[in-house]
């Protein structure tokens, strides 16, 4: 296995607040790696820094062996790295299909774009049904599917998913997790931020645990399930 | 009846010009939150280019092309020189910057060209009029309406069908996520300015062809009106800007035509009162911007 993403001593700051404090993290090709932690632990900041939406204060981000620290967000998609952001953030005033078109903005091969669209429609038939509808009129679950579908349009090698299950009905949550596992089986490496610990550990190969901007635990999904660190972080037990 | 018909044509012509200007303001505002008061100076630049091309003896059609291209270029340069540095600053900083740009340009026009109004050669056909039944309609009004419609249709197609137009709408809604898709911020903003310059250039040609003159402050009044139109329509909403422009045009033309002579001196305050009443009824404008609303909630 080769390493696809390497974070070395990553620091992210908002003014005087240190959101991420020198974390080291590694993702291998073909894995699902979950980043777990309570609210405000610095998970989203980590993800945003990786795709270039937040500036890196110090440390290094390596993607496929290349240094992409502070690479602008515009360039990430082209290099095969993209994020489905927290809160979905689909373009509500654009049609479902136009959202997907924007996901493939950097691609020029019309046939490949069409094929990518077909693939998304295969994964989410409901999106095909609603293709001409404004994305803002979709339900939360459908918007989440669209956000993931949009991210897939650039054929990412590494897909970052920030809280894909947030705010969804339990049945839909299960579907989303199934889908993430399916994507991994199709060869997409996945870096997943989740507060739904049980769901995430069910599909993840490995997980990191984050608290107050630091990595406080790491291991395979099975190890993490039995480790005390999880309960400690989430329940505040000493 | 004929008078109403005639004034309606006039209202569409004036409203169309306001609509083009308001649309130019809205395109830029929706993407970077800047209310560009130097938009009027883009009109003035187009007006002066029209004047110099006329003096050089160019055919009018060619002069119009040059004037519109000059406004587009000026808009892009304006963004690069003045607005890029304050892009992430507060709305107030950007607003004041745009005032500064407007003033600098006005002074340059006054000192380098002339403080006084200069005549612009307009082809005869624009000064003529045609008779339909008992109604006499100026050719320039018909041209103005036709040009406005053509621009609005072209812009609609661009924004709905063209990848770059869709990207512009995406960036207007969520700039960070648009960048994540690979849409380059600088390109989209430069594109928005070019588009606003195009609209200002066309509006300038229509404006100048009604008055055959250009002066350093020419752009101020129409852009102030366009600003009112954009607010009336719903700031940041493109459809709103168009509707606001037409509504304002109708209010102005109808008041000028049908208000009794003794009341004419109160025409502007009465017109603005109507605008204020419309805004009290619809505080977010006639067609509120979906995105800006969402941000407020």
């Amino acid at each position: 296995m080769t390493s696809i993403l390497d974070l070395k001593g990553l620091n992210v700051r908002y003014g005087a607040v240190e959101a991420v404090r020198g974390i080291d993290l590694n993702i291998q090709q073909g894995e699902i790696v979950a980043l777990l932690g309570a609210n405000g632990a610095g998970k989203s900041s980590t993800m945003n820094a990786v795709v270039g939406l937040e500036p890196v204060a110090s440390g290094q981000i390596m993607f496929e062996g290349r240094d992409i620290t502070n690479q602008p967000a515009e360039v990430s998609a082209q290099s095969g790295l993209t994020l489905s952001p927290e809160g979905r953030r689909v373009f509500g005033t654009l049609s479902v299909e136009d959202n997907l078109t924007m996901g493939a903005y950097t691609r020029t091969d019309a046939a490949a774009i069409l094929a990518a669209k077909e693939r998304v429609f295969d994964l989410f038939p409901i999106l095909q049904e609603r293709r001409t509808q404004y994305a803002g009129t979709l339900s939360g679950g459908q918007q989440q599917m669209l956000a993931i579908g949009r991210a897939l349009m650039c054929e990412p090698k590494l897909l970052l998913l920030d809280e894909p299950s947030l705010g969804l009905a339990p049945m839909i949550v299960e579907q989303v997790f199934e889908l993430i596992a399916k994507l991994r089986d199709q060869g997409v490496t996945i870096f997943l931020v989740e507060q739904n610990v049980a769901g995430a550990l069910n599909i993840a190969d490995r997980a990191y645990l984050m608290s107050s901007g630091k990595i406080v635990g790491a291991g395979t999904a099975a190890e993490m399930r039995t480790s005390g660190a999880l309960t400690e972080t989430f329940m505040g037990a000493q | 009846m004929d008078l109403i018909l005639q004034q309606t044509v006039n209202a569409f012509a004036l409203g169309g010009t306001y609509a083009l200007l308001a649309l130019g303001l809205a395109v830029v505002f929706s993407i970077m939150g800047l209310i560009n008061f130097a938009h009027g100076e883009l009109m003035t630049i187009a007006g002066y280019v029209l004047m110099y091309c006329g003096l050089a003896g160019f055919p009018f059609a060619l002069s119009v092309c040059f004037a519109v291209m000059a406004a587009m270029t000026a808009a892009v340069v304006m963004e690069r020189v003045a607005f890029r540095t304050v892009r992430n600053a507060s709305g107030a900083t950007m607003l004041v910057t745009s005032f500064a740009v407007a003033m600098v340009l006005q002074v340059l026009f006054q000192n380098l060209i002339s403080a006084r109004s200069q005549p612009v050669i307009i082809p005869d056909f624009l000064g003529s009029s045609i008779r339909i039944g008992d109604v006499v309609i100026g050719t320039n009004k018909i041209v103005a309406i036709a040009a406005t419609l053509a621009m609005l249709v072209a812009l609609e197609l661009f924004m709905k069908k063209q990848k770059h137009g869709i990207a512009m709408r995406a960036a207007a809604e969520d700039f960070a996520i648009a960048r994540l898709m690979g849409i380059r911020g600088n390109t989209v903003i430069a594109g928005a300015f070019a588009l606003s310059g195009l609209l200002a250039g066309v509006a300038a040609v229509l404006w100048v062809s009604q008055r055959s003159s250009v002066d350093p402050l020419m752009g101020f009044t129409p852009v102030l009106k366009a600003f009112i139109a954009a607010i009336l329509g719903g700031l940041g909403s493109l459809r709103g800007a168009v509707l606001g422009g037409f509504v304002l045009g109708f209010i102005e033309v109808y008041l000028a035509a049908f208000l009794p002579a003794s009341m004419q001196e109160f025409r502007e305050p009465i017109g603005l009162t109507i605008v204020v009443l419309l805004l009290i009824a619809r505080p977010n404008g006639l067609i509120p911007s979906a995105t800006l609303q969402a941000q407020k909630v």
Side-chain angles (χ1 to χ4, degrees):
Chain A
M1 278 222 258
T2 47
S3 176
I4 189 162
L5 185 77
D6 259 306
L7 308 185
K8 292 173 190 161
L10 182 73
N11 258 294
V12 181
R13 252 179 243 269
Y14 302 94
V17 183
E18 281 191 297
V20 179
R21 307 175 182 204
I23 66 167
D24 294 304
L25 187 152
N26 162 274
I27 297 175
Q28 304 286 316
Q29 203 121 39
E31 284 189 303
I32 296 181
V33 173
L35 183 57
L36 309 172
N39 251 337
K43 306 180 305 278
S44 291
S45 304
T46 305
M47 288 212 151
N48 289 340
V50 170
V51 294
L53 284 178
E54 290 295 344
V56 173
S58 67
Q60 210 181 20
I61 302 172
M62 303 287 286
F63 176 62
E64 295 189 302
R66 269 183 320 112
D67 187 347
I68 59 157
T69 315
N70 282 326
Q71 167 180 283
E74 286 101 323
V75 187
S76 292
Q78 228 162 350
S79 58
L81 171 67
T82 195
L83 162 76
S84 168
E86 184 179 3
R88 308 183 277 267
R89 289 170 80 173
V90 295
F91 300 115
T93 57
L94 266 54
S95 71
V96 167
E97 188 156 12
D98 285 346
N99 267 276
L100 295 179
T101 306
M102 288 299 102
Y105 184 81
T106 52
R107 308 178 73 184
T108 46
D109 181 354
I113 294 173
L114 201 66
K117 226 174 244 181
E118 291 304 320
R119 181 174 166 226
V120 171
F121 287 150
D122 275 346
L123 284 171
F124 311 108
I126 187 76
L127 294 183
Q128 182 157 30
E129 247 170 71
R130 307 262 155 112
R131 63 201 292 171
T132 57
Q133 226 169 293
Y134 284 124
T137 64
L138 299 179
S139 73
Q142 291 162 358
Q143 285 190 15
Q144 187 59 61
M145 291 173 193
L146 180 57
I148 296 175
R150 182 180 64 179
L152 289 173
M153 287 299 290
C154 71
E155 303 266 311
K157 294 173 206 154
L158 175 61
L159 173 62
L160 279 61
L161 297 170
D162 196 347
E163 303 272 8
S165 77
L166 192 73
L168 300 184
M171 230 174 71
I172 311 287
V173 170
E174 211 167 295
Q175 277 180 28
V176 168
F177 281 126
E178 270 168 30
L179 169 87
I180 296 168
K182 193 165 156 190
L183 287 176
R184 185 241 339 252
D185 298 340
Q186 292 180 1
V188 186
T189 309
I190 287 167
F191 184 21
L192 173 70
V193 157
E194 258 304 334
Q195 290 199 48
N196 182 337
V197 176
L201 287 179
N202 259 336
I203 55 164
D205 299 293
R206 288 187 302 124
Y208 288 88
L209 184 61
M210 210 171 167
S211 175
S212 310
K214 289 186 179 142
I215 299 283
V216 294
T220 64
E223 286 166 4
M224 292 300 283
R225 258 192 294 261
T226 51
S227 116
L230 260 181
T231 12
E232 232 174 72
T233 319
F234 282 95
M235 314 308 277
Q238 288 301 310
Chain B
M1 185 60 210
D2 292 343
L3 185 62
I4 293 183
L5 203 61
Q6 197 156 349
Q7 295 303 340
T8 305
V9 172
N10 290 346
F12 267 115
L14 180 68
T17 308
Y18 288 161
L20 293 182
L21 288 170
L23 202 48
L25 290 177
V27 165
V28 168
F29 180 83
S30 67
I31 288 185
M32 62 182 288
L34 158 74
I35 298 166
N36 184 11
F37 265 96
H39 197 62
E41 279 53 53
L42 298 175
M43 275 182 87
T44 316
I45 288 173
Y48 279 123
V49 170
L50 210 54
M51 174 191 95
Y52 281 121
C53 286
L55 291 177
F58 291 165
F60 189 66
L62 192 64
S63 309
V64 169
C65 291
F66 279 139
V68 171
M69 279 186 330
M72 286 176 80
T73 313
V76 173
V77 171
M78 203 182 262
E79 188 273 323
R80 188 68 193 80
V81 173
F83 296 121
R84 191 167 293 187
T85 45
V86 294
R87 186 179 294 170
N88 296 317
S90 71
T93 307
M94 290 197 279
L95 184 67
V96 172
T97 306
S98 83
F99 276 124
V101 171
M103 283 176 197
V104 168
L105 287 174
Q106 285 167 9
V107 171
L108 285 177
F109 300 146
Q110 281 165 358
N111 289 327
L112 298 180
I113 301 173
S114 167
R116 277 182 299 174
S117 184
Q118 303 286 307
V120 179
I121 302 165
I122 298 296
D124 291 338
F125 78 88
L126 280 175
S128 66
S129 54
I130 53 170
R131 236 189 143 76
I132 304 169
D134 287 332
V135 189
V136 180
I137 299 169
T139 322
N140 54 7
K141 303 280 192 270
I142 296 170
V143 169
I145 293 170
T148 305
L149 286 180
M151 289 299 295
L152 293 181
V153 169
L155 194 71
E156 174 78 13
L157 288 177
F158 173 72
M159 288 293 202
K160 279 267 146 90
K161 304 280 176 209
Q162 278 282 314
K163 186 172 147 187
H164 297 288
I166 299 171
M168 221 172 252
R169 284 161 56 216
E173 188 176 334
D174 194 330
F175 200 80
I177 300 304
R179 289 182 61 211
L180 194 60
M181 304 287 115
I183 299 167
R184 286 172 190 274
N186 285 344
T187 314
V188 164
I189 290 180
F193 270 88
L195 204 55
S196 83
L198 169 71
L199 292 161
V202 173
V205 172
L206 301 178
W207 192 258
V208 169
S209 66
Q210 314 275 340
R211 358 182 297 160
S212 310
S213 71
V214 53
D215 62 80
L217 302 178
M218 179 187 90
F220 181 74
T221 311
V223 165
L224 195 62
K225 296 286 171 60
F227 177 60
I228 295 171
I231 301 268
L232 179 61
L235 198 54
S237 139
L238 303 191
R239 282 170 205 285
V242 174
L243 181 64
F246 279 112
V247 168
L248 192 66
F250 269 84
I251 292 175
E252 285 195 354
V253 170
Y254 277 6
L255 285 179
F258 301 118
L259 216 55
S262 58
M263 300 272 282
Q264 281 294 340
E265 59 177 317
F266 302 114
R267 196 171 68 208
E268 292 268 315
I270 292 173
L272 289 176
T273 306
I274 298 174
V275 171
V276 168
L277 290 177
L278 284 171
L279 282 175
I280 289 174
R282 294 188 66 87
N284 286 314
L286 300 171
I287 308 177
S289 151
T291 320
L292 295 177
Q293 279 254 290
Q295 277 174 3
K296 273 177 213 148
V297 172

